[in-house]
Amino acid sequence: MSDPQLSLGRRGFLQRATAGMVGAAALGATAADSARAASSSASVSSSGSGRVIPFEGPHQSGILTPPQAAASFVSFDVIAPDRAALRELFAVLTDRVRLLTAGGSVAATDLASAPADSGTLGPVLPADGLTVTVGVGASLFDEQRYGLASRRPAKLTAMPVFPDDDMAHSTELHGDLSLQLCADSRDTVAHALRDIAKHTRGAIQARWKIDGTHSAPRPSGTPRNHLGFKDGIANPDTTSGAVTDALVWTHGGRDGEPAWTEGGSYQVIRIIRMLVEFWDRVSLDEQERMIGRRRDSGAPLDGSAETDIPGYKADPAGLFTPMDAHIRLANPRTPATASQQILRRGYNYERGLDTDGNLDLGLVFCCYQQDVSRQFAAVQSRLAGEPLVDYVSPTGGGYFFALPGVRNPHDTFASGLLAE
Ligand code: HEM
C-alpha cells in the first residue's frame, strides 16, 4: 500500500501541517487562528510543567531563555525543490512550533485514519517549557538552489576547523537548517521533533542529532558538566537590553548585515567529547588550575563563591589563576576583549560507549552572539593549546544563524529572508 505522506506534492505537506489540532488550530486554520487557539488551549494543558514560553517576539525564544532540562540539537539538509517550497517549509515550521509550544488538545482520529498526533504525550499536549529555535546554515545560501546568495548573513560561513579539532571523519557537521528543541521533559522534546519531522517530510531531511541534559544544581547554584565543574557561571547579563543588543542580537544594516537579520543571532554548536577516563586520574589541584575555578563551590581560585569575579589585574603573573587557565584565556576580562563575550547555553550529553568500551559523553557546547568571528572564533582561537585540550575532543557541530523572531500572528520564520 502506498504511504499517503510519501506521495504528497509540494503543496501537500503544508496542508497536512495544520491538521491534527482541535478548535481553531484544526485543519485549514490560518496562522492568526492558530495563534488564538494556541493561547486559549494552553489553559487546557494539565500535565508537564505548565510553563508556556512565549513564541512571538522580535527574537526567538530558546536564546535568552534559561536552559530547560532537556534538549535536542538537530541539523537538516533542506530538500525543498524550489523557493516557493522553501517558503512553505518555514510557514509549516511556524505553525507547528506555535502549536507545540502552546500545548492543547489533539483532534480525535477515526479508526480508519492514521492518528493526527503520535500520542506519546497523551491526548492533551502539555505546555512544558518547550522552545524550538530555528537556525540556517551557510550552505542554504548557495547560488543554485534558492537564489539566496546575496541575502546571506554577513558573518555566516561553514564552521572552520580549529586547532585541536578531531573532525576529519565526522558525520555530525554543518547543515542547511538547525533546530534547537528544549523543554522541561525529555519526552516533550522527542514529541516535538517527531511532529515537526512528520509535517515537513519532503522538505527537510535530518543529517545529525545530539541530545543534551541540564542537570539539577548540585547542591545549589549553577549546574555541573561531566568534568564535575559548575558550567555556565559567567555569562553576559541577559536581563540588560544594552548588553544583549551589544553582544547577542544582530542588527540589520549595521556591520554589513542585510536588513532582514535584525533581531537574529549567530549560533555555534560544538560537540565536545570529554575523555573522562583520563580526567578522573588527574589531581584535584591540577583540574582546578586547568579550569581556573574550585570544583566544589565553582568559586574562582582567588575567591570564595561562584559569583565572585576573578581579579586578574591583581594577579598579573598567574599566582592564583594560571595564565593558561580555561576561564582566563576564554575571558581575560580586559576592555579590549569585552566585546568578544559570548552567551553560552550548553548541555551535557551522554550516549553510551565507543567501540573500545569508553564512555561517550561530553558537552554540546552552544553559544549565541552578534558576530561569530568577533566573538566565538576569537575566544576559540585563544583557547588553542590550553591544558584542557588533552581531556576534551571536539568532534562535530556547525555555525548557524538563528532567525529573527516571529513578530505577530501573520508573520512566519524567515519572512524577511524570503521577502520578494
Ligand atoms: C568540553 C569543553 C569545555 C569545558 C569542559 C568547559 C568548561 C568550562 C567551565 C567549567 C567554566 C567555568 C564556569 C563558568 O563560568 O561557566 C567555563 C567557562 C567558560 N568557557 Fe568553557 N568549557 C569548554 C569549552 C569551551 C569553549 C569551546 C568555549 C568557547 C570557545 C568556552 C568558553 C568559555 C567562556 C567564555 C567561559 C567564561 C569565562 C569567564 O567569563 O570567566 N568554553 N568553561
Side-chain angles (χ1 to χ4, degrees):
M1 222 172 67
S2 72
D3 178 347
Q5 293 277 337
L6 287 176
S7 59
L8 284 176
R10 181 160 65 67
R11 307 279 154 196
F13 69 82
L14 178 58
Q15 285 157 12
R16 301 295 295 234
T18 45
M21 311 295 283
V22 296
L27 181 66
T30 63
D33 293 336
S34 303
R36 276 191 295 278
S39 54
S40 62
S41 61
S43 56
V44 191
S45 306
S46 54
S47 52
S49 66
R51 295 202 304 147
V52 178
I53 298 177
F55 170 66
E56 280 173 12
H59 314 293
Q60 288 195 70
S61 54
I63 299 176
L64 302 188
T65 312
Q68 301 94 316
S72 286
F73 297 84
V74 196
S75 161
F76 298 84
D77 292 325
V78 175
I79 55 173
D82 54 30
R83 191 133 151 195
L86 184 67
R87 187 174 288 114
E88 261 179 30
L89 164 66
F90 284 113
V92 171
L93 266 178
T94 308
D95 282 349
R96 295 324 300 172
V97 176
R98 188 193 293 282
L99 292 166
L100 290 164
T101 52
S105 301
V106 174
T109 317
D110 65 80
L111 283 176
S113 308
D117 184 76
S118 64
T120 57
L121 300 181
V124 179
L125 300 186
D128 198 20
L130 177 70
T131 56
V132 180
T133 311
V134 181
V136 286
S139 52
L140 191 70
F141 295 85
D142 61 16
E143 264 319 331
Q144 303 81 30
R145 283 184 298 169
Y146 307 112
L148 293 175
S150 63
R151 302 193 180 185
R152 186 173 54 81
K155 307 292 162 47
L156 187 61
T157 62
M159 184 175 75
V161 177
F162 290 94
D164 314 314
D165 280 1
D166 182 15
M167 300 191 185
H169 305 290
S170 178
T171 53
E172 297 173 319
L173 277 174
H174 317 306
D176 293 330
L177 186 110
S178 85
L179 296 182
Q180 173 199 273
L181 304 103
C182 304
D184 295 329
S185 340
R186 163 68 46 207
D187 56 359
T188 299
V189 171
H191 172 272
L193 177 60
R194 188 163 156 187
D195 179 279
I196 289 170
K198 174 179 162 186
H199 287 92
T200 55
R201 189 168 175 145
I204 52 176
Q205 179 62 47
R207 195 180 161 97
W208 54 267
K209 166 178 183 276
I210 187 157
D211 299 334
T213 51
H214 222 246
S215 53
R218 314 255 190 232
S220 60
T222 305
R224 294 175 187 275
N225 62 28
H226 287 305
L227 297 186
F229 282 74
K230 294 185 174 189
D231 196 343
I233 299 172
N235 250 337
D237 176 8
T238 54
T239 63
S240 159
V243 169
T244 55
D245 268 347
L247 294 175
V248 180
W249 309 125
T250 41
H251 300 291
R254 277 195 239 164
D255 303 322
E257 292 292 0
W260 74 266
T261 61
E262 177 66 34
S265 186
Y266 288 89
Q267 180 201 41
V268 175
I269 300 171
R270 306 263 296 164
I271 301 172
I272 308 180
R273 183 162 173 197
M274 293 170 172
L275 311 176
V276 290
E277 286 82 1
F278 295 107
W279 179 258
D280 289 343
R281 295 204 291 260
V282 175
S283 74
L284 180 61
D285 179 60
E286 196 181 337
Q287 289 186 3
E288 292 184 335
R289 289 171 63 77
M290 268 190 253
I291 298 291
R293 288 186 179 269
R294 298 280 172 224
R295 192 176 75 158
D296 284 1
S297 65
L301 299 180
D302 58 353
S304 56
E306 70 173 71
T307 46
D308 289 349
I309 308 291
Y312 301 142
K313 248 194 188 151
D315 181 24
L319 287 179
F320 289 97
T321 310
M323 304 307 285
D324 58 4
H326 179 73
I327 65 165
R328 191 160 187 169
L329 287 174
N331 181 7
R333 296 176 185 263
T334 61
T337 56
S339 67
Q340 298 172 355
Q341 292 174 82
I342 53 180
L343 174 61
R344 290 174 299 134
R345 202 177 182 284
Y347 278 83
N348 298 330
Y349 78 82
E350 202 201 336
R351 48 182 181 181
L353 304 174
D354 67 12
T355 49
D356 297 324
N358 292 315
L359 295 166
D360 183 4
L361 48 75
L363 178 70
V364 189
F365 174 91
C366 173
C367 71
Y368 289 94
Q369 57 253 282
Q370 181 178 79
D371 177 336
V372 65
S373 61
R374 185 189 84 212
Q375 296 170 266
F376 170 78
V379 175
Q380 181 61 61
S381 302
R382 259 201 314 272
L383 292 175
E386 64 169 326
L388 190 61
V389 298
D390 289 344
Y391 304 94
V392 298
S393 176
T395 61
Y399 280 3
F400 300 95
F401 181 73
L403 298 168
V406 173
R407 285 160 195 266
N408 59 57
H410 305 285
D411 193 12
T412 65
F413 287 124
S415 55
L417 165 63
L418 296 173
E420 292 304 332

